[in-house]
């Protein structure tokens, strides 16, 4: 019997800044602009403060459950910064950074998690989808939207995000597979934060990487240091440009670490290794970028204090607006679902109004 290799594949890993903020290779042009890097640092810090405030709202009974992005801020902020207005974001529950960068307001995000469907009626990013909580549904949605864009011959990209645990769902494979078949302009971001709720990677998959799950669909798979905002931004820009110009889909696995609970309904201390988490705090994205800025004499303690004061005011203003918003009524679940309410559903809406009045 003779054997022949009929195909071979590889997954490339991308990193520009190490954990100490030191370049590991020539950095992209955008990362040489210290104003750009200062803004990205501020964006990540704002996401962290916003998450902390959302946790406090949930703990005090002012909001429903909430999934934070602690330690993972470079992912959403990175790809969000690479998106343009015409692109479409199909978010999952931990895509807060991407939503904020694409124009969704903090108040709108709080409204959504507070149970108000009006929070998904974005004032700016009108064609971005509502936050998807069911696992992996958003992957199918992303490929569907990308197909519509392709049929309209528009130069736009679709971005969606999923946790590494969600890649075990059938919807993930189906969505990526059809994107490969139809050469769709969609970027699938895998947030590999090492935990599928409480399930670690070593019993989640036998794959060496999550990026290689793209190979079976004939799609390019890339792995990136998810704590390196420069690498995430650069890889995102490459994949988005490719998507907008007919180059097809890309799967990007961003390696990071979840420094918080899965959601406010979880207690990570029951399964997380304190020693591993201690090391992860040394690798997290904010400290890495601050070190890079400091090495380039573009950040100081004074800058840090001024930023903290400004961001605190911004977040507090959003929280006050959320708290002042009228409480949602039951019929909103119908009003924000249908453009025109089906006849069979009208009695249900009326029943919801009567029940809500009681």
């Amino acid at each position: 019997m003779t054997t022949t290799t009929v195909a071979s594949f590889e997954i490339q890993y991308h990193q520009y800044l190490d954990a100490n903020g030191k370049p590991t290779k020539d950095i992209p042009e955008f990362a040489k602009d210290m104003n750009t890097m200062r803004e990205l640092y501020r964006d990540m810090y704002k996401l962290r403060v916003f998450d902390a405030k959302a946790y406090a709202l949930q703990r005090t009974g002012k909001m429903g459950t909430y999934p934070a992005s602690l330690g993972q801020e470079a992912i959403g902020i990175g790809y969000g910064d690479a998106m343009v207005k015409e692109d479409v974001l199909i978010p999952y529950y931990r895509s807060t950074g991407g939503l904020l960068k694409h124009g969704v307001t903090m108040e709108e995000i709080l409204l959504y998690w507070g149970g108000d469907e009006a929070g998904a009626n974005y004032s700016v990013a009108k064609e971005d989808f509502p936050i998807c909580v069911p696992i992996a549904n958003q992957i199918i949605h992303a490929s569907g939207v990308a197909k519509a864009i392709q049929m309209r011959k528009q130069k736009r990209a679709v971005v969606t995000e999923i946790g590494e645990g969600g890649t075990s769902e059938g919807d993930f494979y189906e969505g990526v597979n059809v994107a490969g078949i139809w050469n769709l302009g969609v970027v699938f971001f895998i947030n590999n934060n090492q935990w599928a709720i409480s399930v670690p990677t070593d019993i989640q998959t036998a794959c060496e990487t999550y990026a290689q799950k793209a190979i079976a669909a004939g799609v390019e798979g890339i792995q990136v240091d998810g704590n390196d905002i420069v690498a995430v931004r650069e890889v995102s820009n490459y994949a988005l440009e490719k998507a907008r110009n007919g180059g097809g889909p890309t799967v990007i696995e961003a390696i990071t670490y979840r420094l918080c609970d899965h959601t406010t309904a979880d207690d990570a201390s029951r399964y997380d290794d304190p020693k591993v988490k201690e090391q992860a705090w040394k690798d997290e994205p904010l400290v890495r970028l601050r070190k890079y800025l400091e090495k380039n004499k573009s950040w100081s303690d004074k800058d840090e204090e001024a930023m903290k004061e400004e961001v605190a005011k911004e977040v507090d203003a959003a929280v006050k607006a959320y708290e002042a918003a009228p409480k949602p009524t039951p019929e909103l679940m119908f009003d924000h679902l249908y453009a025109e309410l089906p006849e069979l559903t009208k009695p249900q809406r009326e029943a919801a109004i009567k029940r809500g009045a009681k």
Side-chain angles (χ1 to χ4, degrees):
M1 180 178 73
T2 59
T3 60
T4 305
T5 300
V6 295
S8 60
F9 310 94
E10 65 178 13
I11 298 296
Q12 299 219 338
Y13 174 77
H14 296 262
Q15 182 195 67
Y16 288 93
L17 298 179
D18 66 16
N20 294 310
K22 182 179 179 181
T24 57
K25 57 183 175 181
D26 290 340
I27 60 172
E29 283 302 312
F30 81 88
K32 297 174 184 177
D33 183 340
M34 291 302 117
N35 287 330
T36 296
M37 301 314 294
R38 284 163 62 100
E39 188 64 29
L40 288 172
Y41 180 66
R42 189 182 190 279
D43 288 337
M44 289 196 293
Y45 177 76
K46 183 165 74 171
L47 173 56
R48 184 166 292 187
V49 173
F50 177 73
D51 279 352
K53 186 66 73 172
Y55 251 63
L57 289 169
Q58 190 278 335
R59 296 300 193 227
T60 53
K62 296 178 181 178
M63 200 175 73
T65 190
Y66 182 79
S69 302
L70 187 62
Q72 305 147 83
E73 293 90 352
I75 298 174
I77 298 301
Y79 71 67
D81 193 64
M83 293 178 73
V84 297
K85 181 181 177 182
E86 293 75 22
D87 294 337
V88 181
L89 178 60
I90 315 291
Y92 86 133
Y93 50 82
R94 215 182 303 277
S95 295
T96 309
L99 287 165
L100 291 173
K101 284 297 293 182
H102 208 222
V104 178
T105 69
M106 290 185 282
E107 182 188 350
E108 287 167 342
I109 294 169
L110 291 174
L111 285 170
Y112 173 84
W113 289 110
D116 191 338
E117 297 291 342
N121 185 16
Y122 310 132
S123 55
V124 175
K126 286 292 186 184
E127 295 190 345
D128 285 359
F129 271 38
I131 295 165
C132 185
V133 175
I135 306 301
N137 289 188
Q138 72 277 15
I139 303 300
I140 299 291
H141 301 160
S143 290
V145 172
K147 182 60 180 176
I149 287 172
Q150 186 185 67
M151 292 172 70
R152 295 171 184 173
K153 296 179 169 39
Q154 297 172 332
K155 292 185 68 171
R156 306 168 71 190
V158 177
V159 180
T160 191
E161 188 179 356
I162 189 170
E164 86 279 4
T167 67
S168 294
E169 293 283 341
D171 281 3
F172 172 79
Y173 291 98
E174 292 161 13
V176 175
N177 186 62
V178 77
I181 294 168
W182 290 338
N183 196 46
L184 301 178
V186 57
V187 180
F188 303 98
F189 246 97
I190 301 171
N191 177 347
N192 179 5
N193 62 23
Q194 312 301 316
W195 292 105
I197 306 182
S198 59
V199 179
T201 287
D202 58 357
I203 57 175
Q204 173 69 219
T205 183
C207 291
E208 293 177 85
T209 70
Y210 287 96
Q212 73 195 64
K213 293 189 176 189
I215 293 171
V219 172
E220 181 180 10
I222 298 172
Q223 193 180 73
V224 65
D225 183 343
N227 292 333
D228 175 3
I229 187 72
V230 176
V232 175
R233 172 65 173 75
E234 181 71 0
V235 168
S236 298
N237 188 63
Y238 159 76
L240 284 163
E241 284 292 328
K242 173 183 157 189
R244 294 183 198 114
N245 293 285
T250 309
V251 172
I252 301 172
E253 175 194 359
I255 300 176
T256 182
Y257 198 86
R258 198 189 76 210
L259 291 170
C260 54
D261 301 326
H262 174 67
T263 68
T264 49
D266 175 44
D267 178 6
S269 67
R270 297 173 62 188
Y271 54 82
D272 205 349
D273 185 336
K275 291 182 179 179
V276 175
K277 182 171 279 190
E278 183 181 355
Q279 179 58 44
W281 272 108
K282 298 175 183 177
D283 296 337
E284 60 97 350
L286 271 76
V287 68
R288 184 178 306 200
L289 182 50
R290 180 173 178 176
K291 287 178 179 179
Y292 174 70
L293 288 168
E294 288 172 342
K295 289 177 192 297
N296 284 275
K297 297 181 171 49
S298 296
W299 199 256
S300 65
D301 290 343
K302 185 177 179 181
D303 292 322
E304 186 82 7
E305 290 306 312
M307 176 190 71
K308 287 180 177 180
E309 185 176 340
E310 291 171 4
V311 168
K313 289 179 181 178
E314 284 183 43
V315 175
D316 286 344
V319 170
K320 287 178 181 176
Y322 161 70
E323 293 179 327
K327 296 301 177 187
T329 51
E331 68 270 19
L332 288 181
M333 73 176 81
F334 300 97
D335 297 347
H336 287 278
L337 180 61
Y338 296 101
E340 186 175 334
L341 197 64
E343 285 298 322
L344 290 174
T345 312
K346 288 180 179 179
Q348 296 177 22
R349 184 179 183 277
E350 293 303 315
I353 293 172
K354 291 176 181 178
R355 183 169 295 230
K358 295 178 181 179

